[in-house]
């Protein structure tokens, strides 16, 4: 039995849960999320005790792996609509910076503008379900209720200019440790 999969998930009072036709919908103060879970899994919501549990039909390899996964995805949904998720990135390098700029198209959505050593600034569209802040030119904060989308957009930002190993310049996660390499040492004059 999966140790993660068999643990029930407690639903807070300010969260509404709807379960219908293989789809779980969760709504809370931070937003709404929806999960279409695998047909082999059985998700049970007890309205009286406000608990969600996940059951599997048998011990096949696929069902064992889906058991813990489904429970974790549902738990992430509950955490997301109550507390939300956050990724912080640091921009390091001389002249490297990030800023938010109002869009010039019809939607007027803000865009993330990165100046990271290219001949042009890199402009990224911010997904509508995410909130991006730039408290200072060297820090980017990505927030949202969907853990996957927060992580995916943070990875997209980091991919623009990953940290290089010699000087450490680039975009990195806040607590990321970049392994540094030693540069080439000058060779002494031979005699």
């Amino acid at each position: 039995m999966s140790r993660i999969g068999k643990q029930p998930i407690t639903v807070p009072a300010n969260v509404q849960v709807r379960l219908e036709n293989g789809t779980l919908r969760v709504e809370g103060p931070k937003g709404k999320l929806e999960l279409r879970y695998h047909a082999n899994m059985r998700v049970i919501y007890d309205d009286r005790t406000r608990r969600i549990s996940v059951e599997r039909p048998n011990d096949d390899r696929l069902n064992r792996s889906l058991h813990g996964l489904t429970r974790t995805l549902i738990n992430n949904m509950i955490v997301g609509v109550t507390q939300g998720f956050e990724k912080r990135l640091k921009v390091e390098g001389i002249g490297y910076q990030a800023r938010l700029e109002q869009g010039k198209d019809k939607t007027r959505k803000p865009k993330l503008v990165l100046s990271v050593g290219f001949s042009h600034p890199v402009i990224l569209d911010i997904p509508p379900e995410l909130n991006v802040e730039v408290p200072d030119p060297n820090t980017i904060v990505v927030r949202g209720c969907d853990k996957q989308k927060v992580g995916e957009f943070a990875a997209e930002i980091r991919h623009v200019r990953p940290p290089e190993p010699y000087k450490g310049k680039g975009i990195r996660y806040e607590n990321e440790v970049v392994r540094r390499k030693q540069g080439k040492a000058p060779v002494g004059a031979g005699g």
Side-chain angles (χ1 to χ4, degrees), residues 95-172:
Y96 286 22
Q97 64 178 351
R99 68 180 189 278
L100 287 176
E101 197 173 89
Q102 199 63 33
K104 293 175 178 59
D105 56 354
K106 293 178 205 165
T107 59
R108 306 283 296 159
K109 291 182 184 173
K111 297 180 185 297
L112 181 65
V113 180
L114 301 169
S115 300
V116 286
F118 297 121
S119 61
H120 59 283
V122 178
I123 301 171
L124 296 174
D125 292 326
I126 300 170
E129 59 273 354
L130 297 181
N131 181 16
V132 176
E133 295 174 9
V134 182
D136 63 79
N138 294 337
T139 306
I140 304 168
V141 182
V142 181
R143 288 192 180 98
C145 62
D146 191 339
K147 187 175 187 177
Q148 180 179 348
K149 290 182 181 170
V150 168
E152 198 172 308
F153 188 64
E156 190 178 320
I157 294 170
R158 184 184 180 278
H159 183 73
V160 170
R161 178 69 96 170
E164 54 95 22
Y166 294 101
K167 292 183 180 175
K169 297 184 342 183
I171 303 171
R172 67 177 77 185

Coordinates of all heavy atoms in Angstrom, one line a residue, residues 95-172:
G95 N 24.7 44.9 -15.0 CA 23.7 45.4 -16.0 C 22.5 44.5 -16.3 O 21.7 44.8 -17.1
Y96 N 22.5 43.3 -15.6 CA 21.4 42.4 -15.8 C 20.2 42.9 -14.9 O 20.5 43.2 -13.7 CB 21.8 41.0 -15.4 CG 22.6 40.2 -16.3 CD1 23.4 40.9 -17.3 CD2 22.7 38.9 -16.3 CE1 24.2 40.2 -18.2 CE2 23.5 38.2 -17.2 CZ 24.3 38.8 -18.1 OH 25.0 38.2 -19.0
Q97 N 19.0 42.9 -15.4 CA 17.9 43.3 -14.6 C 16.6 42.9 -15.2 O 16.5 42.5 -16.4 CB 17.9 44.9 -14.4 CG 17.7 45.6 -15.7 CD 17.6 47.1 -15.4 OE1 17.6 47.6 -14.3 NE2 17.6 47.9 -16.5
A98 N 15.5 42.9 -14.4 CA 14.2 42.6 -14.8 C 13.3 43.7 -14.4 O 13.5 44.4 -13.5 CB 13.7 41.3 -14.1
R99 N 12.2 43.9 -15.2 CA 11.2 44.9 -14.9 C 9.8 44.5 -15.5 O 9.8 43.7 -16.5 CB 11.6 46.2 -15.4 CG 11.6 46.4 -16.9 CD 12.1 47.9 -17.3 NE 11.9 48.1 -18.7 CZ 12.7 47.7 -19.6 NH1 13.9 47.1 -19.3 NH2 12.5 48.0 -20.9
L100 N 8.8 45.0 -15.0 CA 7.4 44.8 -15.5 C 7.1 46.0 -16.4 O 7.4 47.1 -16.0 CB 6.4 44.6 -14.4 CG 6.4 43.3 -13.6 CD1 5.4 43.4 -12.5 CD2 6.1 42.1 -14.5
E101 N 6.5 45.7 -17.5 CA 6.1 46.8 -18.4 C 4.7 46.5 -18.9 O 4.3 45.4 -19.2 CB 7.1 46.7 -19.6 CG 7.1 48.0 -20.4 CD 8.2 47.9 -21.5 OE1 8.0 47.4 -22.6 OE2 9.3 48.3 -21.1
Q102 N 3.9 47.6 -19.0 CA 2.5 47.5 -19.5 C 2.5 47.1 -20.9 O 3.3 47.7 -21.7 CB 1.8 48.8 -19.2 CG 0.3 48.7 -19.3 CD -0.2 47.9 -18.1 OE1 0.3 47.8 -17.1 NE2 -1.3 47.1 -18.4
G103 N 1.7 46.2 -21.3 CA 1.6 45.7 -22.7 C 1.1 46.8 -23.6 O 0.3 47.7 -23.2
K104 N 1.5 46.8 -24.9 CA 1.1 47.8 -25.8 C 0.0 47.3 -26.7 O -0.5 48.1 -27.6 CB 2.3 48.3 -26.6 CG 3.3 49.1 -25.8 CD 4.5 49.4 -26.6 CE 5.5 50.2 -25.9 NZ 6.0 49.6 -24.7
D105 N -0.4 46.0 -26.6 CA -1.5 45.5 -27.4 C -2.8 45.8 -26.8 O -2.9 46.6 -25.9 CB -1.3 44.0 -27.6 CG -1.2 43.2 -26.3 OD1 -1.2 43.9 -25.2 OD2 -1.2 42.0 -26.3
K106 N -3.9 45.2 -27.4 CA -5.3 45.5 -27.0 C -5.5 45.1 -25.6 O -6.3 45.8 -24.9 CB -6.2 44.8 -27.9 CG -6.2 45.4 -29.3 CD -7.2 44.6 -30.2 CE -6.8 44.6 -31.6 NZ -7.4 43.6 -32.4
T107 N -4.9 44.0 -25.1 CA -5.2 43.5 -23.8 C -4.6 44.3 -22.7 O -5.1 44.3 -21.6 CB -4.8 42.0 -23.7 OG1 -3.3 42.0 -23.9 CG2 -5.5 41.1 -24.7
R108 N -3.5 45.0 -22.9 CA -2.8 45.8 -22.0 C -2.3 45.0 -20.8 O -2.2 45.5 -19.7 CB -3.7 47.0 -21.5 CG -4.3 47.9 -22.5 CD -3.3 48.8 -23.1 NE -2.9 49.8 -22.2 CZ -1.8 50.5 -22.3 NH1 -1.0 50.4 -23.4 NH2 -1.4 51.4 -21.4
K109 N -2.1 43.7 -21.0 CA -1.5 42.9 -19.9 C -0.1 43.2 -19.7 O 0.7 43.5 -20.6 CB -1.7 41.4 -20.3 CG -3.1 40.9 -20.3 CD -3.1 39.5 -20.6 CE -4.6 39.0 -20.8 NZ -4.7 37.7 -21.2
P110 N 0.4 43.2 -18.4 CA 1.8 43.4 -18.2 C 2.7 42.3 -18.7 O 2.3 41.2 -18.8 CB 1.9 43.5 -16.6 CG 0.7 42.8 -16.1 CD -0.4 42.9 -17.2
K111 N 3.9 42.7 -19.1 CA 4.9 41.8 -19.6 C 6.1 41.9 -18.8 O 6.4 42.9 -18.2 CB 5.2 42.1 -21.1 CG 4.0 41.9 -22.0 CD 4.3 42.3 -23.4 CE 3.1 42.2 -24.3 NZ 2.4 41.0 -24.4
L112 N 6.9 40.8 -18.7 CA 8.1 40.7 -18.0 C 9.2 41.0 -19.0 O 9.4 40.3 -20.0 CB 8.3 39.3 -17.3 CG 9.6 39.2 -16.5 CD1 9.6 40.1 -15.3 CD2 9.7 37.7 -16.1
V113 N 10.0 42.0 -18.7 CA 11.1 42.4 -19.6 C 12.4 42.1 -18.9 O 12.7 42.6 -17.8 CB 11.1 43.9 -20.0 CG1 12.2 44.3 -20.9 CG2 9.7 44.2 -20.6
L114 N 13.3 41.3 -19.6 CA 14.6 40.9 -19.0 C 15.7 41.4 -19.9 O 15.7 41.3 -21.1 CB 14.7 39.3 -19.0 CG 13.6 38.6 -18.2 CD1 13.7 37.1 -18.5 CD2 13.8 38.8 -16.8
S115 N 16.6 42.2 -19.2 CA 17.8 42.6 -19.8 C 19.0 41.8 -19.3 O 19.4 42.1 -18.2 CB 18.0 44.1 -19.5 OG 17.0 44.9 -20.0
V116 N 19.4 40.8 -20.0 CA 20.4 39.8 -19.5 C 21.5 39.6 -20.4 O 21.9 38.5 -20.7 CB 19.7 38.5 -19.1 CG1 18.9 38.6 -17.9 CG2 18.8 38.0 -20.2
G117 N 22.1 40.7 -21.0 CA 23.3 40.6 -21.8 C 23.1 40.3 -23.2 O 24.1 40.2 -24.0
F118 N 21.9 40.2 -23.7 CA 21.7 40.1 -25.2 C 21.7 41.5 -25.8 O 21.6 42.5 -25.1 CB 20.4 39.4 -25.5 CG 20.3 37.9 -24.9 CD1 19.4 37.5 -24.0 CD2 21.3 37.0 -25.4 CE1 19.3 36.2 -23.6 CE2 21.2 35.7 -24.9 CZ 20.3 35.3 -24.0
S119 N 21.7 41.6 -27.1 CA 21.6 42.8 -27.8 C 20.2 43.5 -27.7 O 20.0 44.6 -28.1 CB 22.0 42.7 -29.3 OG 21.1 41.8 -29.9
H120 N 19.2 42.7 -27.2 CA 17.9 43.2 -27.2 C 17.3 42.7 -25.9 O 17.7 41.7 -25.3 CB 17.1 42.6 -28.3 CG 17.1 41.1 -28.3 ND1 18.2 40.3 -28.8 CD2 16.2 40.2 -27.9 CE1 17.9 39.0 -28.6 NE2 16.7 38.9 -28.1
P121 N 16.3 43.4 -25.3 CA 15.6 42.8 -24.1 C 14.7 41.7 -24.5 O 14.1 41.6 -25.6 CB 14.8 44.0 -23.6 CG 14.6 44.9 -24.8 CD 15.8 44.7 -25.7
V122 N 14.6 40.7 -23.6 CA 13.7 39.5 -23.8 C 12.4 39.8 -23.1 O 12.3 40.2 -21.9 CB 14.4 38.3 -23.2 CG1 13.4 37.1 -23.4 CG2 15.7 38.0 -23.9
I123 N 11.3 39.7 -23.9 CA 9.9 40.1 -23.4 C 9.2 38.8 -23.3 O 9.0 38.0 -24.2 CB 9.2 41.1 -24.3 CG1 10.0 42.3 -24.4 CG2 7.8 41.4 -23.8 CD1 9.6 43.3 -25.4
L124 N 8.6 38.5 -22.0 CA 7.8 37.3 -21.8 C 6.4 37.7 -21.4 O 6.2 38.6 -20.6 CB 8.4 36.5 -20.6 CG 9.8 35.9 -20.9 CD1 10.3 35.2 -19.6 CD2 9.8 34.9 -22.0
D125 N 5.4 37.0 -22.0 CA 4.0 37.2 -21.7 C 3.8 36.5 -20.4 O 4.1 35.3 -20.3 CB 3.1 36.7 -22.8 CG 3.2 37.5 -24.1 OD1 3.4 38.8 -23.9 OD2 3.1 37.0 -25.2
I126 N 3.1 37.1 -19.5 CA 2.8 36.5 -18.2 C 1.4 35.8 -18.3 O 0.4 36.4 -18.8 CB 2.7 37.6 -17.1 CG1 4.0 38.3 -16.9 CG2 2.2 37.0 -15.8 CD1 4.0 39.5 -16.0
P127 N 1.3 34.5 -18.0 CA 0.1 33.8 -18.1 C -1.0 34.5 -17.2 O -0.7 35.0 -16.1 CB 0.4 32.4 -17.6 CG 1.9 32.3 -17.8 CD 2.4 33.6 -17.6
P128 N -2.3 34.5 -17.6 CA -3.3 35.2 -16.9 C -3.5 34.7 -15.5 O -3.9 35.5 -14.6 CB -4.5 35.0 -17.8 CG -4.3 33.9 -18.7 CD -2.8 33.8 -18.8
E129 N -3.3 33.4 -15.2 CA -3.6 32.9 -13.9 C -2.4 33.1 -12.9 O -2.5 32.7 -11.7 CB -3.9 31.4 -14.0 CG -2.9 30.5 -14.6 CD -3.0 30.4 -16.1 OE1 -3.9 31.0 -16.7 OE2 -2.0 29.8 -16.7
L130 N -1.3 33.7 -13.4 CA -0.2 33.9 -12.5 C 0.0 35.4 -12.2 O -0.4 36.3 -12.9 CB 1.1 33.4 -13.1 CG 1.2 31.9 -13.4 CD1 2.5 31.6 -14.0 CD2 1.0 31.1 -12.2
N131 N 0.6 35.6 -11.0 CA 0.9 37.0 -10.6 C 2.5 37.1 -10.5 O 3.1 36.3 -9.8 CB 0.3 37.3 -9.2 CG 0.5 38.7 -8.8 OD1 0.9 39.5 -9.5 ND2 0.3 38.9 -7.5
V132 N 3.1 38.0 -11.2 CA 4.5 38.2 -11.2 C 4.8 39.6 -10.7 O 4.2 40.6 -11.1 CB 5.1 38.1 -12.6 CG1 6.6 38.4 -12.6 CG2 4.8 36.7 -13.2
E133 N 5.8 39.6 -9.7 CA 6.2 40.9 -9.1 C 7.7 41.0 -9.3 O 8.4 40.0 -9.3 CB 5.9 40.9 -7.6 CG 4.4 40.9 -7.3 CD 4.1 40.8 -5.8 OE1 5.1 40.9 -5.0 OE2 3.0 40.5 -5.4
V134 N 8.2 42.3 -9.4 CA 9.6 42.6 -9.5 C 9.9 43.6 -8.4 O 9.8 44.8 -8.6 CB 10.0 43.1 -10.9 CG1 11.5 43.3 -10.9 CG2 9.6 42.1 -11.9
P135 N 10.1 43.1 -7.1 CA 10.3 44.1 -6.0 C 11.6 44.9 -6.2 O 11.6 46.1 -5.8 CB 10.4 43.2 -4.8 CG 10.5 41.8 -5.2 CD 10.1 41.8 -6.6
D136 N 12.6 44.4 -6.8 CA 13.8 45.2 -7.1 C 14.3 44.6 -8.4 O 13.9 43.5 -8.9 CB 14.8 45.1 -6.0 CG 15.4 43.7 -5.7 OD1 16.2 43.3 -6.5 OD2 14.9 43.1 -4.8
P137 N 15.2 45.3 -9.2 CA 15.6 44.9 -10.5 C 16.3 43.5 -10.5 O 16.4 42.9 -11.6 CB 16.6 46.0 -10.9 CG 16.2 47.2 -10.1 CD 15.7 46.6 -8.8
N138 N 16.7 43.0 -9.4 CA 17.4 41.7 -9.4 C 16.6 40.6 -8.8 O 17.1 39.5 -8.6 CB 18.7 41.8 -8.6 CG 19.7 42.7 -9.3 OD1 19.6 42.9 -10.5 ND2 20.6 43.3 -8.6
T139 N 15.3 40.8 -8.5 CA 14.5 39.7 -7.9 C 13.1 39.6 -8.7 O 12.5 40.6 -9.0 CB 14.1 40.1 -6.5 OG1 15.4 40.3 -5.8 CG2 13.4 38.9 -5.8
I140 N 12.7 38.4 -9.0 CA 11.5 38.1 -9.7 C 10.7 37.1 -8.8 O 11.2 36.1 -8.4 CB 11.7 37.5 -11.1 CG1 12.6 38.4 -12.0 CG2 10.3 37.2 -11.8 CD1 13.1 37.7 -13.2
V141 N 9.4 37.5 -8.5 CA 8.6 36.6 -7.7 C 7.4 36.2 -8.5 O 6.7 37.0 -9.1 CB 8.1 37.3 -6.4 CG1 7.3 36.4 -5.6 CG2 9.3 37.9 -5.6
V142 N 7.2 34.8 -8.7 CA 6.1 34.3 -9.4 C 5.2 33.6 -8.4 O 5.6 32.7 -7.7 CB 6.6 33.2 -10.5 CG1 5.4 32.7 -11.3 CG2 7.6 33.8 -11.4
R143 N 3.9 34.0 -8.5 CA 2.9 33.5 -7.5 C 1.7 33.0 -8.3 O 1.3 33.5 -9.3 CB 2.4 34.5 -6.5 CG 3.4 34.9 -5.5 CD 2.8 35.7 -4.4 NE 3.8 36.1 -3.4 CZ 4.4 37.3 -3.4 NH1 4.1 38.2 -4.3 NH2 5.3 37.5 -2.5
G144 N 1.0 31.9 -7.7 CA -0.2 31.4 -8.3 C -0.7 30.3 -7.5 O -0.1 29.8 -6.6
C145 N -1.9 29.8 -7.8 CA -2.5 28.7 -7.1 C -2.2 27.3 -7.7 O -2.3 26.3 -7.0 CB -4.0 28.9 -6.9 SG -5.0 28.9 -8.5
D146 N -1.8 27.3 -9.0 CA -1.4 26.0 -9.6 C 0.1 25.8 -9.6 O 0.8 26.5 -10.2 CB -1.9 26.1 -11.1 CG -1.9 24.7 -11.8 OD1 -1.1 23.8 -11.3 OD2 -2.6 24.5 -12.8
K147 N 0.5 24.8 -8.8 CA 1.9 24.6 -8.6 C 2.7 24.3 -9.9 O 3.8 24.8 -10.1 CB 2.1 23.4 -7.6 CG 3.5 23.1 -7.2 CD 3.6 22.0 -6.2 CE 5.0 21.9 -5.6 NZ 5.1 20.9 -4.6
Q148 N 2.0 23.6 -10.8 CA 2.7 23.2 -12.0 C 2.9 24.5 -12.9 O 4.0 24.6 -13.5 CB 1.8 22.2 -12.8 CG 2.5 21.8 -14.1 CD 1.6 20.8 -14.9 OE1 0.7 20.2 -14.3 NE2 2.0 20.6 -16.1
K149 N 1.9 25.3 -13.0 CA 2.1 26.5 -13.8 C 3.1 27.5 -13.2 O 3.8 28.2 -14.0 CB 0.7 27.2 -14.0 CG -0.2 26.4 -14.9 CD -1.5 27.0 -15.2 CE -2.3 26.1 -16.1 NZ -3.7 26.5 -16.2
V150 N 3.1 27.6 -11.9 CA 4.1 28.5 -11.3 C 5.5 28.0 -11.6 O 6.4 28.7 -12.0 CB 3.9 28.6 -9.7 CG1 5.1 29.2 -9.0 CG2 2.6 29.3 -9.4
G151 N 5.8 26.7 -11.4 CA 7.1 26.1 -11.7 C 7.5 26.2 -13.1 O 8.6 26.4 -13.5
E152 N 6.5 26.0 -14.0 CA 6.7 26.0 -15.4 C 7.2 27.4 -15.9 O 8.1 27.5 -16.7 CB 5.5 25.5 -16.2 CG 5.7 25.1 -17.6 CD 4.4 24.5 -18.2 OE1 3.9 23.6 -17.5 OE2 4.0 25.0 -19.2
F153 N 6.5 28.4 -15.4 CA 6.8 29.8 -15.9 C 8.1 30.2 -15.2 O 8.9 30.9 -15.9 CB 5.7 30.8 -15.5 CG 5.9 32.1 -16.1 CD1 5.9 32.3 -17.5 CD2 6.1 33.2 -15.3 CE1 6.1 33.6 -18.0 CE2 6.3 34.5 -15.8 CZ 6.3 34.7 -17.2
A154 N 8.4 29.8 -14.0 CA 9.7 30.1 -13.4 C 10.8 29.5 -14.2 O 11.9 30.1 -14.4 CB 9.7 29.7 -11.9
A155 N 10.6 28.2 -14.6 CA 11.6 27.5 -15.4 C 11.8 28.2 -16.8 O 12.9 28.3 -17.3 CB 11.2 26.1 -15.6
E156 N 10.7 28.7 -17.3 CA 10.8 29.5 -18.6 C 11.6 30.7 -18.4 O 12.4 31.1 -19.3 CB 9.4 29.8 -19.1 CG 9.3 30.3 -20.5 CD 7.8 30.6 -20.9 OE1 7.0 29.8 -20.5 OE2 7.6 31.6 -21.5
I157 N 11.5 31.4 -17.3 CA 12.2 32.6 -17.1 C 13.7 32.3 -16.9 O 14.6 32.9 -17.5 CB 11.7 33.3 -15.8 CG1 10.3 33.9 -16.0 CG2 12.7 34.5 -15.4 CD1 9.7 34.4 -14.7
R158 N 14.0 31.2 -16.1 CA 15.4 30.8 -15.9 C 16.0 30.4 -17.2 O 17.2 30.5 -17.4 CB 15.4 29.7 -14.9 CG 16.8 29.2 -14.5 CD 16.8 28.0 -13.6 NE 18.1 27.6 -13.2 CZ 18.9 26.8 -13.9 NH1 18.5 26.4 -15.1 NH2 20.0 26.4 -13.5
H159 N 15.3 29.8 -18.1 CA 15.8 29.3 -19.4 C 16.3 30.4 -20.3 O 17.1 30.1 -21.2 CB 14.7 28.4 -20.1 CG 15.2 27.8 -21.4 ND1 16.0 26.7 -21.4 CD2 14.9 28.1 -22.6 CE1 16.3 26.4 -22.6 NE2 15.6 27.2 -23.4
V160 N 15.8 31.6 -20.1 CA 16.3 32.7 -20.9 C 17.8 32.9 -20.8 O 18.5 33.1 -21.8 CB 15.5 34.0 -20.5 CG1 16.1 35.2 -21.2 CG2 14.1 33.9 -20.9
R161 N 18.3 32.8 -19.6 CA 19.8 33.0 -19.4 C 20.1 32.2 -18.1 O 20.2 32.7 -17.0 CB 20.1 34.4 -19.2 CG 21.6 34.7 -18.9 CD 22.5 34.4 -20.1 NE 22.7 35.6 -20.8 CZ 23.7 35.7 -21.8 NH1 24.4 34.6 -22.1 NH2 23.8 36.8 -22.4
P162 N 20.4 30.8 -18.2 CA 20.7 30.0 -17.1 C 22.1 30.5 -16.5 O 22.9 31.1 -17.3 CB 20.8 28.6 -17.6 CG 20.3 28.6 -19.0 CD 20.3 30.1 -19.4
P163 N 22.3 30.3 -15.2 CA 23.6 30.8 -14.7 C 24.8 30.0 -15.3 O 24.7 28.8 -15.5 CB 23.5 30.5 -13.2 CG 22.4 29.5 -13.1 CD 21.5 29.7 -14.3
E164 N 25.8 30.8 -15.6 CA 27.0 30.2 -16.2 C 28.0 29.8 -15.1 O 28.0 30.5 -14.1 CB 27.6 31.0 -17.3 CG 27.9 32.5 -16.9 CD 29.3 32.6 -16.5 OE1 30.2 31.8 -16.9 OE2 29.6 33.5 -15.7
P165 N 28.8 28.8 -15.3 CA 29.7 28.3 -14.2 C 30.9 29.1 -13.8 O 31.5 28.9 -12.8 CB 30.0 26.9 -14.6 CG 30.0 27.0 -16.1 CD 28.9 28.0 -16.4
Y166 N 31.3 30.1 -14.6 CA 32.6 30.8 -14.4 C 32.4 32.0 -13.5 O 33.1 32.2 -12.5 CB 33.3 31.1 -15.7 CG 33.7 29.9 -16.4 CD1 33.0 29.4 -17.5 CD2 34.8 29.2 -16.0 CE1 33.4 28.2 -18.1 CE2 35.2 28.0 -16.6 CZ 34.5 27.6 -17.7 OH 34.9 26.4 -18.3
K167 N 31.5 32.9 -13.9 CA 31.2 34.1 -13.1 C 29.9 34.0 -12.3 O 29.6 34.9 -11.5 CB 31.2 35.3 -13.9 CG 32.6 35.6 -14.5 CD 32.6 36.9 -15.3 CE 34.0 37.2 -15.8 NZ 34.0 38.4 -16.7
G168 N 29.0 33.0 -12.7 CA 27.7 32.9 -12.0 C 26.7 33.8 -12.5 O 25.6 34.0 -11.9
K169 N 26.9 34.5 -13.7 CA 26.0 35.4 -14.2 C 24.8 34.7 -14.8 O 24.9 33.6 -15.4 CB 26.6 36.3 -15.3 CG 27.7 37.2 -14.8 CD 28.4 38.1 -15.8 CE 28.2 37.9 -17.2 NZ 28.9 38.8 -18.0
G170 N 23.6 35.3 -14.7 CA 22.4 34.7 -15.3 C 21.2 34.7 -14.3 O 21.3 35.4 -13.3
I171 N 20.2 33.9 -14.6 CA 19.0 33.9 -13.8 C 19.0 32.5 -13.0 O 19.1 31.5 -13.7 CB 17.7 34.1 -14.6 CG1 17.8 35.4 -15.4 CG2 16.5 34.0 -13.8 CD1 16.7 35.5 -16.4
R172 N 18.8 32.6 -11.7 CA 18.8 31.4 -10.9 C 17.7 31.4 -9.9 O 17.1 32.5 -9.6 CB 20.1 31.2 -10.2 CG 20.4 32.2 -9.1 CD 21.6 32.0 -8.4 NE 22.7 32.5 -9.2 CZ 24.0 32.3 -8.9 NH1 24.3 31.8 -7.8 NH2 24.9 32.8 -9.7

